[in-house]
Each structure stands twice: as C-alpha cells, then as structure tokens.
Amino acid sequence: MKSLKIKYNNYLLLIASCLFLISCGNKENKPQEEEQKATTEEAQPTIASLTAEQIKTVDIQFGTIEQKQLTATLRANGALRVPNNNKANATSMYGGVIKTINVQLGDFVKKGQVIATIANPQFIQLQEEYLSTSSKIIFAEQEVARQKELNEGNAGALKNYQNADAELKSMRTRRASLQQQIQLMGINPNSLNNSNLRSIVSVTSPISGTISNVFSKIGSYVDVSSPVAEIVDNSQLHLDLNVFEKDLPMLKVGQIIHFRITNNSGEDYNAKVYSIGAAFENDSKSIPVHATVQGNKSGLIDGMNITAIVSLNNVTTDAIPTDAIVSADGKEYIFVVTNKKAEEEKPEDSEVKKEAEIKSKAQEVKSTNFEKIEVAKGVSNMGYTAITLVKNIPENAKIVTKGAFFVNAKLTNKGEE
C-alpha cells in the first residue's frame, strides 16, 4: 500500500513538471512571435524609386507646397474682357480691291505691320495731281517774282501781281491737301516721281496684338466702313464678375481673385479687384465687379467664361494640388523627392553583393527616389487642398503634383514583392 502511494506521488510530480515546461516554452515563443509581427509591420516600404523613363512615360510632374487662401471665400462666375481701347480694326482710308492678305487668325502683329494690300486706279490719279501741282507751283513762284519786279518799277499793273500771288497760294494749298491724302495712303510724297507711281497701297495694324478676326478675302472690295481684320491686345485682359446683391458688402477694391477657365480647369490664374459697379447688370440683380489679370496670361482669350473664388481675408495655408494626395490604409499621403534610398536585403555571396552595388550605382544616376509622407487634409477649393504635414520636410522640397497614384502603385508593388 505504501509503495502504491509513492508511485502515485511520483506520477503527479511528473505531470506538474511537464506542465511547467510547456508553460515556459509558450512564454518564450510568444515574445518572439510578437517581435516578428512588429518587425513585419515596421518593414512596410516608404521609399519608391522611378527611372527617368518611367517618370516621362506616366507624365509625373513636380511642384512645391504653396500658400493659398482657401478659407473665407466667395464663388462667382464671369468672363474675360478686353477694353475697347485695346481692340482695333485694320481699315483702309480709301476704297479698293483686296490684292493680298498677309495674316491669319491667331497671328501676333506689331503696330504698323502690313495686314493686307488693296489696289485702285484712283491712287495713281492723286499722285499724278500732286506731281503736276508741284510743277505748277514752281512756275507760279516765278510769275509772282516777275510781276512783283514789274510793279515795283511801275511797269506792270498791281492787279496782275495780286492775281499771280493769289494763284500761287491756291496751288500751295492744293499741294498741301494732296500731300496729306497721299500720306494717309502710306506713301511718302517727297519720294514720288514720274517713275514710281503706285496703284497698290498697304493696310497696316493700328495697334500691337493678336488677329481675332479676318473680315475680307482676296478680290473683295473694301472702304473705310469695311474693316479688313480685327486686332485684340490680350495683355490688357480683365475680369467681369457678376456678384449678387447679398454678397456685395463682402467685396472691396484690392481683393485677390483666383480663377480658372470654366471649360478647362487645368490652370490657375490670379486677378485683383480694381472697380465695383454701382448699378445692377440688366435684370439679373447682379452687380459687375472688374479685376485686372495678374501675372501669367497665356491661354487667356477675350470672351472666355471663368469660375472665380474671391478671397475675403488674407489668411493663407499650406496647400497642394488635390491630385498630389493619395489615400492608403485609411490615411492620406504625398510623395516628396528625397535622397534617401530604399532598403534592400543584403546579399550573402560576395559576387552577388558586388553586382548589386554596381546595379545600385547605375540606378542612382538614372532614377529618382520618392518618400511617402503622411498629411492631414483640410478644405478644398479650385483644385487645391489645404494640408498639415505629420512629418517635417525640407523647405521648398519638390513634391509629386501629378502622377502620385503611379508612384504609390510602384511602392505597393514593391512591398508585395
């Protein structure tokens, strides 16, 4: 009986020892598993590398974080306008038939540049009369001198001298009139002679600008009431905005306007309010507000419809194009150009390691690295979104403003591999 009790106690001791060893083993393995899991989570890649060819293929574009007024704003619609004193028609002072047209729609012309040429036989008649009158004046001057001499010697009548003097003055007046008419034709009267009479004259541009319309064609008849072409100086573009009565108290001269072309939202422009209307525009119950376009005017044309945002205060915030932000894992990110390198596994074999180093150096020359940076999104307006950086980046750092989706895809594929 005593022997059986000893065996039973030994059996319980053995079971307790086994349970203790199993427990210790689990405690030792659990931290290792947690450590491996944490290491896996930390190993998520944040650096993507693209070659110059890849950047060109997907049309990745770069920019910097800008300061934008995206809060306290007022939306308004309007159109681009050019003042009438910056528009002009190229016309001829005399009627004639179009012989040549030297411009096309969209051409830029300078003041005085030849737009077209016209022909008319009457042009020759004016030049002929001018040369004839000039010759008669020479004879009339001689006759006046002769009559004056005779009158002083009491050999001639005073009446003859007076008639000769009146005739000379009349001829000089006629020559001055013809001279002005010929100058309006674009011909220098002093260079005229019997061998260079012209039947074709030029129509020139009265201002510098862009050809916005061509009204005539070769062979058509034009006169002073029939313009040949229209020229517009787009450098003096301004905005005509329509603002409703309730919003008028929030506007004042000097406020900044950000606007885009309604049918093309790819480019942002700025303007500055210089005048606020004092009467309603037709029956729309809106007041016209005028603003001068600032800075870049490329691509802007008279008559384009625009969508504008009027800034009501001077508060600015960090902002980037909305397309520069990508979403992943419930967070928002941007990609910043960096000198950091993507982490790669170190090869054990020395030759493999050497080849990897050579390949890495070659890629450094031809590729660009991008770091994934988390941001917090704010308000969005006119294609821009306010952001707050979770992690500091260098001042004026280059960020991906277009194509961030492709950079993120490259980074994701790399992580999966």
Side-chain angles (χ1 to χ4, degrees):
M1 186 72 178
K2 188 177 180 180
S3 175
L4 180 62
K5 187 176 181 180
I6 293 172
K7 288 181 179 180
Y8 177 75
N9 290 337
N10 291 338
Y11 178 73
L12 290 177
L13 182 62
L14 179 63
I15 292 174
S17 300
C18 290
L19 290 174
F20 177 76
L21 291 174
I22 292 171
S23 175
C24 292
N26 289 338
K27 288 181 180 178
E28 290 178 359
N29 292 336
K30 189 172 181 181
Q32 290 180 0
E33 291 176 359
E34 290 179 353
E35 185 178 350
Q36 289 177 357
K37 185 177 180 181
T39 304
T40 303
E41 290 178 354
E42 293 176 359
Q44 292 294 332
T46 59
I47 307 293
S49 181
L50 272 73
T51 64
E53 185 178 353
Q54 289 173 325
I55 292 173
K56 182 179 180 181
T57 301
V58 299
D59 190 26
I60 290 177
Q61 297 180 12
F62 303 95
T64 58
I65 295 177
E66 304 178 39
Q67 293 296 311
K68 291 286 185 180
Q69 297 172 336
L70 301 180
T71 59
T73 57
L74 171 68
R75 284 185 175 271
N77 296 321
L80 291 169
R81 293 284 183 263
V82 172
N84 286 337
N85 59 346
N86 294 103
K87 297 180 182 179
N89 287 334
T91 57
S92 172
M93 298 300 296
Y94 299 94
V97 176
I98 296 289
K99 298 295 290 183
T100 62
I101 297 177
N102 303 330
V103 294
Q104 296 180 357
L105 287 175
D107 287 352
F108 179 82
V109 294
K110 295 182 178 180
K111 183 178 180 180
Q113 183 175 330
V114 176
I115 300 294
T117 58
I118 61 175
N120 193 328
Q122 292 181 351
F123 300 157
I124 296 179
Q125 294 177 6
L126 285 173
Q127 297 168 71
E128 178 187 357
E129 186 178 357
Y130 173 78
L131 292 176
S132 177
T133 302
S134 297
S135 299
K136 289 179 181 179
I137 286 174
I138 296 174
F139 174 77
E141 289 173 344
Q142 294 174 350
E143 180 63 19
V144 168
R146 189 174 70 84
Q147 290 296 335
K148 182 178 180 181
E149 185 177 350
L150 290 174
N151 184 59
E152 290 175 351
N154 297 321
L158 178 61
K159 181 180 180 181
N160 292 338
Y161 169 71
Q162 291 175 339
N163 286 338
D165 186 58
E167 182 70 17
L168 175 61
K169 290 179 179 178
S170 175
M171 288 183 181
R172 284 175 175 171
T173 301
R174 179 57 180 165
R175 183 178 67 175
S177 174
L178 292 169
Q179 186 175 10
Q180 291 295 323
Q181 294 180 56
I182 291 172
Q183 285 178 341
L184 289 175
M185 293 165 55
I187 300 173
N188 183 7
N190 297 326
S191 65
L192 278 179
N193 56 55
N194 295 332
S195 61
N196 67 354
L197 300 180
R198 294 167 55 184
S199 63
I200 296 177
V201 298
S202 301
V203 179
T204 58
S205 174
I207 63 171
S208 296
T210 303
I211 301 295
S212 61
N213 208 340
V214 178
F215 302 107
S216 303
K217 56 186 177 182
I218 294 176
S220 60
Y221 182 86
V222 296
D223 55 21
V224 69
S225 63
S226 305
V228 177
E230 181 186 46
I231 301 97
V232 176
D233 180 9
N234 285 322
S235 65
Q236 302 301 319
L237 274 172
H238 71 262
L239 295 184
D240 281 350
L241 298 178
N242 300 316
V243 179
F244 291 106
E245 181 181 3
K246 64 181 180 65
D247 298 324
L248 192 61
M250 295 185 287
L251 294 175
K252 62 182 179 180
V253 174
Q255 282 178 310
I256 300 299
I257 295 174
H258 306 294
F259 69 93
R260 285 186 171 186
I261 307 303
T262 302
N263 297 325
N264 180 13
S265 59
E267 187 75 24
D268 290 321
Y269 302 92
N270 295 325
K272 189 175 183 180
V273 176
Y274 72 88
S275 174
I276 298 176
F280 290 110
E281 186 77 9
N282 300 326
D283 298 328
S284 62
K285 285 297 181 181
S286 63
I287 295 90
V289 175
H290 307 286
T292 54
V293 180
Q294 307 285 310
N296 177 32
K297 298 184 181 70
S298 61
L300 302 181
I301 299 174
D302 178 36
M304 282 183 166
N305 293 323
I306 61 97
T307 302
I309 286 185
V310 184
S311 300
L312 302 179
N313 56 32
N314 294 323
V315 178
T316 61
T317 183
D318 290 343
I320 58 175
T322 303
D323 292 341
I325 303 174
V326 295
S327 299
D329 304 324
K331 297 180 181 180
E332 313 297 335
Y333 299 93
I334 63 173
F335 285 94
V336 180
V337 176
T338 181
N339 293 326
K340 297 179 182 178
K341 299 178 182 179
E343 294 184 1
E344 297 180 357
E345 293 183 1
K346 298 180 180 180
E348 296 179 358
D349 187 79
S350 59
E351 292 184 2
V352 175
K353 183 178 179 181
K354 187 176 181 181
E355 290 179 5
E357 288 177 354
I358 296 172
K359 184 178 179 181
S360 176
K361 289 181 180 179
Q363 286 180 344
E364 286 179 4
V365 179
K366 300 180 181 180
S367 63
T368 303
N369 293 336
F370 303 91
E371 184 178 5
K372 189 177 182 181
I373 302 294
E374 183 181 352
V375 296
K377 287 174 60 175
V379 296
S380 296
N381 261 329
M382 298 293 290
Y384 277 81
T385 299
I387 62 167
T388 301
L389 292 167
V390 176
K391 174 184 176 182
N392 291 332
I393 63 174
E395 188 177 355
N396 296 324
K398 289 172 63 177
I399 66 170
V400 177
T401 58
K402 181 181 178 183
F405 170 80
F406 297 101
V407 181
N408 189 58
K410 171 78 173 179
L411 186 65
T412 303
N413 293 337
K414 181 179 178 182
E416 291 175 353
E417 290 173 5

